[in-house]
Amino acid sequence: MRKVFACALFLLLATWMTTARSDLVISKVDRRIDLTSHIVRVLSTLKVENAGRVVVSEILLAIPNMQAKNLANLKAFYNEGKGKGSAINLPVAEVHPEGMPRELSFYSISLHEGLEKGKSLTVNVLSIFTHSLQPFPEEISQSDVQLVVYQDSAYYVSPYEVKSQSLNVLLPGGRVESYTKHPSGKLVDSEIKYGPYEKLPPFSYSPIVLHFENNNPFVVAQELVREIEVSHWGSIQITEHYNLAHKGATNKGGFSRLDYQSRSYMGGRSSLRQLIARLPPRAHSIYYRDDIGNISTSHLWGDSRKTQLEIEPRFPIFGGWRTSFTIGYSLPLQDFLFVSEGNRFLNITFGCPMDEVVIDDLIVKVVLPEGSKEVSVSVPFHTKQWHETKYSHLDIIGRPVVALEKNNVVPEHNTYFQVHYKFNNLSLLWEPLMLISGFLLLFVACIAYMHADLSISKSSASYIAKLQWDEVQATVQQVQNVIRRCLSAHEKLETSLQDLSRTGDVHSCKATRKIADGLLKELSKELKPLMGFLQSSPQAAQIWPKVEELVAKEKEMQEKLMQKHVAVVDCFEKKYSGREIENRVAPYQQKLSALKQEVDDLLDYIDEI
Amino acid sequence: MGAKAGSSPPVVPPPASSATSFFPSINGLKLKTKQQELLIRVSILALVYVLAFAIRLFSVLRYESMIHEFDPYFNYRTTLFLTEKGFYEFWNWFDFESWYPLGRIIGGTLYPGLMVTAALIYWTLRFLRFAVHIREVCVLTAPFFASNTTIVAYFFGKEIWDSGAGLVAAALIAICPGYISRSVAGSYDNEGVAIFALLLTFYLFVKAVNTGSLAWALASAFGYFYMVSAWGGYVFIINLVPLYVLVLLVTGRYSMRLYIAYNCMYVLGMLLAMQIRFVGFQHVQSGEHMAAMGVFFLLQVFYFLDWVKFTLNDPKLFYSFLRIALTCAISVGSLALGVGMATGYISPWTGRFYSLLDPTYAKDHIPIIASVSEHQPTAWSSFMFDFHILLFLFPAGLYFCFKRLSDATIFIVMYGLTSMYFAGVMVRLILVAAPAVCLISSIAVSATLKNLTMLIRAKNNATPMGSSKGTASLKASAKLIFMHFQASSFDQPLPYQRNVAIALLLGAFYLLSRYAIHCTWVTSEAYSSPSIVLAARGAHGGRVIFDDYREAYFWLRKNTPADAKIMSWWDYGYQITAMGNRTVIVDNNTWNNTHIATVGRAMSSYEDEAYDIMKSLDVDYVLVVFGGVTGYSSDDINKFLWMVRIGGGVFSVIKEPEYLVNGEYRVDKGAAPKMLNCLMYKLCYYRFGEVTTEYGKPPGYDRARGVEIGNKDVKLEYLEEAFTTSNWIIRIYKVKPPKNRW
C-alpha cells in the first residue's frame, strides 16, 4: 500500500520535472538522518550554485506533505568563513509557489545577500520531525523489544537538479529488522548509507523503508501548561502541568511487577522509568506532585551552572500508558527580569526543561504582577497569543496574564523569549497595606463593640438593674479602697511604734499619730456618702451587711490601735521596761490581730462578689 | 506576696489631696488589676488556641498536606463537588460511581455539616481574596475546630466550676490524645467538627439551665442542629439531655429554668433537625429518640401538677389527684408507645444502638459492624494511651463535683459517666468521652492547685507585716483553711505544712508536664500517620516511604477506561472513587449488606464461580491489598475471614469452617484446600511463589504472616495481572472478556 503510493508520487513528480526552475543547481547534498531518539532530526548540507543569469535571493526547499505535517522545526544557517565559523541563521518561510506539485510543501530560505551568477553557497538545513517513527508491531508484550518503521526518500527531494548526493541514517543500535536495499543501501554498524548518487533531475524520489529496534520511551506531553508568575518581591515561580503519554508500541497482556523488578533485560525495556529536568541555576522551592498529592520519588542536585531534577513517575510508563504531574520551582528574579528605558522585560526560556520530550500542545502563561501595563511579547517563532486575568492572593483587579500557545514543540524550541511591561514599584505596597488596614479595621470593630451599648431596650428592668449593679460595684470598690487606705494608715502607726522602740523618739511618734488620726478622720468622712448610697440602693441589699460589718470592724480596729499606740507612747514616756510594755500591750495586740484577720477576710469576700 | 503587694497603694498619700482628684486614680489602679487578670486569661487562652492547632500539624510536617484514612476521602470528594457545583447540585447528587449498579443518593445519605462548613470557610477565604485550595481548607478544618473546642471548653469549665478550671480544661483538651486521634490535620472527618458541636450544645444547654434564659436555650437548639447536621453521634445528646432532666426531676431539682431550657431546646432542636434529609422524621419515629419525647411530656405533666398543687392548696386532695394523674399519664404514654411500636410507626432500635448497650450484640448479629477495628471494645492500654493522667484525675474530679453539687456539676458528672461507659464499649467513642474527662479532670486539677496555693499564700500573710492581699484571686471559699490558719497564728504554726503544700504543688506540675510530654509523643508517633502513605525505617536508619496506595489509585485514574468498574473489599471504596476516580462496587458507606456480601462471596469462591459473579456485576478490574512482601499486616488476607463471615451471613454456600483447619486460619501448606484455591488467595499470591522476600528464607515467604505460602503455583484463567505496585501492596487484575464460543 505504502509502496504503491510512493510509486504514484514518483511518477507524478517525473511529469513535473520539466517545469522546474533551473536557475539554481545543487552541486552537493549530504544528508544525515538521526533516528536514535523518537524525534527525527534531518541535517542536510546543500551546496547551491547559481547557474542562471540573474541574482537569486531565495532557495526553495521541498518536503513531502506526509512528512511536512509532522515538521516541528525548520532551521537554515550557513557558516561564516571557512571551517567552523559562527553560524548565521537564515529566515525560512512557508511558500506556495505556482505550478509546483501539490504533494510537496515548499519553504523558502531568504538570503541576506543575493547569490550572484556563478557563485556558490553552502547552506545547512536542519529539519525536525515528530511522530514519524511508527511502532510496528503496534502492540507488544512487556518483554518484547519495540520495533519501529521509518519512511523517507533515498534521493533528496528538491525542485533543483542535484549533481551529487549521499544519505546517512543513524540508528539507535540493536536489531535492524529490514531496510530498503535498492538503490545501493548499505548497513554499517548502526548506520545505513545510501548513495552517492550523481546527476539526478529535480523531484527525484525513491522511497526507502527502515524497520529497526528503538527502545527509547516515546515520551509525548499531550498537553503542557507552564505558568510563569513574576513577583516583584524577588522571585519567579514556575509551575508546569504535564500530561504525559508513551506513544510507542502499546503494552498488551498486562504488567508483571516480578518481571519488571527482577528481570530487567526483559521487563519493559522501552518503558519510561525516569525523566530529567534541567532547571536554571539557583532554582529553589522545587516540588513534584500530582492531583492526589506529593510524589516522593525524585532527586535533586545542582551546582552553580545548573540544577538537575530527576523525577520518577509513580509507576513505570509503558506504551499506551499515561500519567500526569506537576512540577514547580522558584527562580531568583534578578536572573531573568531586566529594566530598559523604564520598561521591564522578562527574559526566560519557552519550552520544557526535559530532554527528548515532544509536546503536542504547549501553553505558556506569563502572570505579571497586579498593576502591570502595556504588556507585549516577542517570541522567535509563531505562536497563538491571548490575554487573561488571574486572581491570586489579595488581588482586587487581578493579574494580567499573557498566554502563548504552540503545537508540536521539540527541545529545539527551548529558546528565550521576552515579555515587556510597565510596572510602578509603589504598587508593591498595595497588598501589605490592604492587609494592615484589614487588621486595623478588625481591631477597631472590636474596640467599638466593647464600648458600645448594644442592649435593645434601655428601659427594661434588667437593663436598669444592671446599670444599678454597676454603680453599686463601683461604690463598693471605693469603699474597699478607703478601707485599704485606712489599713495602710494603721501600718504607718505600727511602724512608728517600731521606730519608737528603736530610737525612743516620742515626739515624732506623737506627730505621726496626729497625722494618721487626721487622715483616718478624713477617710471616715469620705466613707459616709458611700455608705449612705449603699444603704439606700436596693441592688446592694445582698452585699450591704458585709460592707457594714467591714466598716464597723475597721472602726473598732482603729480604736484599738489608737489605744495601743497611746499606751505604748505612755509607757515610753514613763520609761517602763520592755517586758512591762509587752504585758500592757498584749491584750490589744491579740484583739488587733484577730480584727485584722476578720477585716482581711471580709475584704476578700467582698472582692469575690 | 509581701506587705507591699502590687496593687495596694504603697504609701499613704499626703492628706492634703482632695477627695475628688483622688478617687479616679485609685479606680484606675483597681481596674488595672482586673485588666491584668483578663489579659493573662486571654493570653493563656490564645496560647492554648494556637497550641491546639499547632500540635495537630505533625502529620503535615512529617508527610504532606493530605487527606488521611478512608472516610475523609469521601468527605473530601463531596466537598469538592459542593464547591464546584453549588449547594443544590450537591443536595440532589446521585452518585453513579459507587455501589455499582445501585448508585447512591449522596444528598440524602450523608451528614452535610462538615462539607458545608468547609465550603463556607473556603468561600469566605476566597471572598477575602485568599487564593487557597479546597484541599488545604479540608486538611485544616479539624485542627481549626479543635482550637475552637478549647474555647468552648474554657467557657464550659467556667460555667460548671470557675474560670481557673475553665483554663485548665482548655489546656487539657487542647492536647488530649483521645481527641487528637480524630482531629489531626488531614483527618477530615465528621468527628472533627462534631466534638466541637457536641461540647457547644452541652455548654449552651447548661448555660440555659443555669440562667433559665430563652436566648441560651435557643442557642443550644442551634448548637444541636449543627451537631445533627454533622454527625450521627447526635443521638448521644438527644438521650443524655433527657436523662439529665430526669435525674434533676428525681433529685428534686426541678425548676422553672430547667423547664424553659429543655422545652425550648427540645422543640426547636427537633424541628431544626428534621431539616436534615438523612435524619428526617426520626425524631418522632425512631425508638432511639423516644426518651427525649417521653421526658418532654413528663415535664409538662410535672408543670401541670405543680400548678394544680398551687391552686388546690390542700395536700390531701392533691395527693389523690396526683395518683390519678400519674396513672393516667403513664398509661397513656405507654399505650401510645405500644401502638406506635406495633403499627411500625416507631421503628425499633438500630443495630448500632443495640451494640452500644450490649457490647456482645454486634459480634453475634452484625458482622459488618464487628469487622471494623474501631468498633471493638476498648482495651485498658488504649485508655491509658489516650487519657494518661486524666484517668486518675477523673475520679478525683468526680469527688469535687459531688462535694459542690449543682445543676451544672450534675450534668458534667452524668456526661462523664455515660460517655466513659460508651468509651469502654467502642474504641472510637473514647473521642466522645475525651471532653468530659478533660473537664472533670480540670476541676480536680484546678481545685487542688487552688487549695495548695492558698495554703502557701495564707502562710505568708501570717507575718505581722502583712496588711492586705492585693490580688483579687484569693478566694474566700477556703474558709476551712482560714480557720486552720487562724488557729495556727496563735499557736506555733505547723512547721512542715507549707513544705508539704509546695511538694504537692511540684508533684502536680510534674504530673501535668508528664501529661504534656506524653501527649506530644503520642501525637507525633501514633496519630499523625495518614495511613495512606506508610513509613518505615530502612536498613540504614533512613526513612523509607511506601506510597503504594496512591501509586495504584493513580494508575487506575490514568490507565483504565473512564467507566471501568473496580471490585475490591469495601474498605478501599472511598479511596478508589476519590483518588482513582473510578466506579466501585462497594464502599465504606456500608448501607447495603447484601451487596457487600456478594463481593465477599466472590472473593471467597473458586475462580470460575467468582468469574460468574464478577460478570454479573460488570466488574472490569479487581483490586486486592497484599502485605506479604513488606510485612504490612492490615491487608486483605488478614481481613479475609470477615469477607467469608459477611458473605456467609447472606449466602449459605459460603461456610466459614471450610476455610479453617481445626478452627485455625492458615495460609501455608496446612491450609484448607478451599482457602488455597479461593479467588482472594490466588490474587494475593499470584506469582508470589517466585519471589524471595527475605534473605535466608525460601521463595514465597509471606512476611506479614511469617510463613511460606501453601500454593506457590497459582494459575489464573479468567483474570490477568494488570498492575502491581512497587512494594506489591496493591495488586490489580483485569477481568478477561468472555471467551469466544468457537
Side-chain angles (χ1 to χ4, degrees), chain A residues 487 490 493-494 497 553-565 568 585-600, chain B residues 466 486 490:
Chain A
L487 288 178
H490 296 175
L493 281 174
E494 293 275 8
L497 282 184
K553 293 275 181 211
E554 200 277 331
K555 200 116 213 160
E556 199 182 337
M557 202 170 152
Q558 231 174 75
E559 276 164 26
K560 290 279 180 262
L561 191 63
M562 280 300 166
Q563 283 170 10
K564 177 185 161 193
H565 203 266
V568 173
V585 171
Y588 296 119
Q589 190 61 52
Q590 211 161 345
K591 195 103 195 202
L592 264 178
S593 55
L595 275 173
K596 177 142 181 45
Q597 271 328 307
E598 273 174 66
V599 168
D600 277 353
Chain B
Q486 214 174 20
F490 294 110

Side-chain angles (χ1 to χ4, degrees), chain A residues 243 252-259 261 263 289-296 314-317 320-325 391-396 434-435 450 474 477-478 480-482 484-485 487-489 491-492 495 498 515 518-519 522 526 530 590 593-594 596-598 600-601 603-605 607-608, chain B residues 3 8-13 15 17 19 22-23 26-27 30-31 34 64-66 73 126 128-132 135 461 464-477 479 482 485-486 490 545 547 550-551 553-555 557-559 578-579 687 690-691 720-728:
Chain A
N243 223 329
K252 68 162 186 213
F255 160 66
S256 165
R257 175 66 67 171
L258 183 68
D259 291 341
Q261 271 173 343
R263 291 157 219 180
R289 55 177 300 133
D290 60 22
D291 301 348
I292 60 172
N294 183 48
I295 307 169
S296 51
R314 283 194 191 273
F315 42 83
I317 315 289
W321 288 14
R322 338 144 184 273
T323 190
S324 66
F325 58 85
Y391 291 92
S392 186
H393 289 300
L394 300 175
D395 285 348
I396 301 290
M434 214 162 70
L435 260 189
M450 294 302 280
Q477 234 168 49
Q478 284 175 5
Q480 272 179 301
N481 281 325
V482 171
R484 291 220 166 95
R485 281 162 63 203
L487 288 178
S488 66
E491 219 172 285
K492 266 260 155 99
T495 9
Q498 272 167 18
I515 292 171
L519 180 65
E522 201 165 303
E526 242 173 57
L530 297 178
Q590 211 161 345
S593 55
K596 177 142 181 45
Q597 271 328 307
E598 273 174 66
D600 277 353
D601 194 24
L603 270 177
D604 281 347
Y605 182 84
D607 245 7
E608 277 292 279
Chain B
S8 65
V11 202
V12 178
S17 64
F22 197 71
F23 273 149
I26 288 283
N27 251 351
K30 183 64 198 168
L31 269 177
K34 289 248 156 155
E64 60 184 276
S65 165
M66 66 185 295
Y73 271 96
R126 280 271 157 175
L128 293 175
R129 299 276 178 238
F130 290 101
V132 291
R135 186 187 58 246
N461 280 344
M465 290 295 283
S467 68
S468 66
K469 292 174 217 152
T471 51
S473 58
L474 244 185
K475 309 293 179 203
S477 59
K479 200 85 178 172
F482 170 66
F485 150 74
Q486 214 174 20
F490 294 110
I545 286 197
D547 204 356
R550 288 195 293 184
E551 183 181 339
Y553 296 145
F554 205 65
W555 184 84
R557 189 186 184 110
K558 287 292 162 190
N559 295 307
M579 282 194 274
R687 295 194 73 185
E690 304 167 36
V691 184
E720 66 178 17
E721 186 179 4
F723 186 71
T724 299
T725 57
S726 48
N727 297 301
W728 291 58

Side-chain angles (χ1 to χ4, degrees), chain B residues 372-384:
Chain B
V372 181
S373 64
E374 61 186 20
H375 289 167
Q376 304 303 319
T378 316
W380 263 112
S381 56
S382 56
F383 268 118
M384 195 60 210

